[in-house]
Amino acid sequence: MRLTERKIAAALRRHGYKLTPQRRSVIRAIASSQDHLTPAAIYLKVRQDHPSIGLVTIYRTLDILVRLELICELHAGGSCHSYTTGAPEHHHHLICSNCGEVIDFSGYYLTELEQRLSRETGFKIEGHLLEFIGRCQNCQQND
Amino acid sequence: MRLTERKIAAALRRHGYKLTPQRRSVIRAIASSQDHLTPAAIYLKVRQDHPSIGLVTIYRTLDILVRLELICELHAGGSCHSYTTGAPEHHHHLICSNCGEVIDFSGYYLTELEQRLSRETGFKIEGHLLEFIGRCQNCQQND
DNA sequence: ATATAAATGATAATCTTTTTCATTTACAGC
DNA sequence: GCTGTAAATGAAAAAGATTATCATTTATAT
Ligand SMILES: [Mn+2]
Ligand SMILES: [Mn+2]
Ligand SMILES: [Zn+2]
Ligand SMILES: [Zn+2]
């Protein structure tokens, strides 16, 4: 279950950020989409009901939301960065290399591996990135 | 054990690519460095003994080398993409969020998870990205 | 040596992201 | 409801990263 617009907005405020119409709009754009969106795509969506917003504000807002883990960031694919609403539970991504569809999956944990790495290297692990790339069923057929 | 300049060059040829001095130079730059290098950093290094090379050639060469899995690509961090020599064995990366040090580790496989995902989603898995971010021992001390 | 397809580099175009700074605004406190 | 203030915004520009085009050069098979 993904975080709702309302919850994300509340969390923003809780962390001391002001709740501006621009930020609401960015959050709505992300939360109302199933897909993962690039900053440019979010910009386009947001401008529909907020024509004067600057692209800078998109970037600044995304920064904050990622930092607070309210949205999640994907790294793979062409334009490299894109965003979807975060889920309260820890999860990872499966991405179609052809159409870009993203599937969240959960129930897989890397804690043991993290402990092993920490022990063997002395690193203090802060996070990880686990993504699978593949072809979705649709794209396998339409080849 | 990382792939050597010689082996990478040989593999390039084996796949039907011409072995130009520019490509040799890019390979040498990567293979002679412990670090992972951005395209821009590789460009700077290569220009030392090949001043007239174009940045485009760097990008084109990196493309090929990644495709043939002769070098490996990192996604994390500031400029997002950087490259190190590939290792013959499958491995993943542990990256220091402060100084950028990269540690390869192997012996961890995701085949079971890939099968589960394939079964549950119908995706045909093509690859994955697994990276850990943390603080190396050095950077933990010098805080 | 020659022929030829592949590779290169100059140039420009196109994106993406970050900086700077003057103006505006959310909201805490009264 | 006002007011003050720090935070947020947007315009503009700069900086960075990546890709496209195309005439010229070059590696290599024959
Ligand atoms: Mn997700
Ligand atoms: Mn590696
Ligand atoms: Zn697909
Ligand atoms: Zn470090």
Side-chain angles (χ1 to χ4, degrees), chain B residues 13 18-21 39 55-56 59 81:
Chain B
R13 291 247 37 211
K18 292 182 181 175
L19 198 47
T20 65
L55 180 54
V56 219
Y59 277 105
H81 292 129

Side-chain angles (χ1 to χ4, degrees), chain B residues 14-26:
Chain B
R14 195 174 337 115
H15 282 87
Y17 291 96
K18 292 182 181 175
L19 198 47
T20 65
Q22 291 92 336
R23 284 178 177 165
R24 279 178 189 285
S25 199
V26 170

Side-chain angles (χ1 to χ4, degrees), chain B residues 86-131:
Chain B
E89 21 149 32
H90 185 77
H91 68 279
H92 303 106
H93 297 130
L94 171 55
I95 306 155
C96 178
S97 59
N98 188 242
C99 70
E101 184 192 355
V102 178
I103 292 185
D104 290 356
F105 66 92
S106 48
Y108 191 79
Y109 298 95
L110 291 162
T111 32
E112 269 180 47
L113 176 55
E114 287 197 354
Q115 278 162 15
R116 180 192 127 194
L117 289 175
S118 207
R119 194 169 355 105
E120 288 177 3
T121 65
F123 267 62
K124 185 167 167 243
I125 311 282
E126 293 167 339
H128 60 256
L129 179 62
L130 173 60
E131 296 175 357

Side-chain angles (χ1 to χ4, degrees), chain A residues 96 98-101 135-136 138-139:
Chain A
C96 177
N98 188 242
C99 70
E101 183 192 356
R135 287 234 148 184
C136 73
N138 259 331
C139 290

